[in-house]
Amino acid sequence: QQQVKQSPQSLIVQKGGISIINCAYENTAFDYFPWYQQFPGKGPALLIAIRPDVSEKKEGRFTISFNKSAKQFSLHIMDSQPGDSATYFCAATFYSGTYKYIFGTGTRLKVLA
Amino acid sequence: DVKVTQSSRYLVKRTGEKVFLECVQDMDHENMFWYRQDPGLGLRLIYFSYDVKMKEKGDIPEGYSVSREKKERFSLILESASTNQTSMYLCASSLLGQGGTEAFFGQGTRLTVV
């Protein structure tokens, strides 16, 4: 199954709070799990990524938690800021002649000042 | 600074017109992709290419074709535009690497078909 299911569709968080976005997948051939951040009027840009041989990756306020047995991964944004307000996409890649990217449906995050 | 450049930010075309969306990358990437972005549906893959003159269908290729005559350029063609092709179109490129590599996106082309 070449899908990545993402939730929630939208999220409102107070400044300083924790934002959590979840993704789930079925295909065990997925081998790279990036998160992309998209601001209005811009293309998505890589935020942080993880490979399935680690359970967590942290970069500043952004952390990916990865649960291989449950086929789930999540993005945690600590101390959320109004500047984090954007749309976030989880993704997964797999090899089929070349590496293809499968994206989740996106989460629109709004951080209130 | 690496770049994926899409030729137009906004386009308005009439139903039935042939539409060309152009994308150029300056990173010498083997892979190039065209996605369509619609609210609630995320990014859906239309076509991709991993080499010059090579193309593969993605998940929603109907009504579209592509051309890759040079490594740096990947064009999306709407043979006969229809109103249901009104959308945001995103081009991306990536290295042909093992284990997945970062995809770089252009700024998008918002196409309106009237």
Side-chain angles (χ1 to χ4, degrees), chain A residues 34-38 41-47 89-91 101-103, chain B residues 2-6 23-25 27 29 31-37 42-45 88-94 101-109:
Chain A
W35 284 88
Y36 281 80
Q37 180 187 53
Q38 184 182 32
K42 303 284 188 183
L46 180 67
L47 181 64
F89 293 95
C90 62
Y101 298 76
I102 305 298
F103 286 87
Chain B
V2 296
K3 270 196 173 169
V4 178
T5 303
Q6 295 182 230
C23 175
V24 177
Q25 51 96 2
M27 295 166 281
H29 285 169
N31 295 332
M32 295 191 75
F33 307 85
W34 275 106
Y35 287 90
R36 169 176 173 159
Q37 182 176 7
L43 279 65
R44 293 181 292 166
L45 182 63
M88 170 70 86
Y89 291 87
L90 289 162
C91 175
S93 73
S94 73
T101 60
E102 180 178 356
F104 293 85
F105 283 85
Q107 78 278 24
T109 296

Side-chain angles (χ1 to χ4, degrees), chain A residues 89 105, chain B residues 36-44 60 64 84-89 110:
Chain A
F89 293 95
T105 51
Chain B
R36 169 176 173 159
Q37 182 176 7
D38 298 291
L41 297 177
L43 279 65
R44 293 181 292 166
I60 52 165
Y64 303 94
N84 62 13
Q85 292 178 309
T86 291
S87 187
M88 170 70 86
Y89 291 87
R110 185 164 293 281

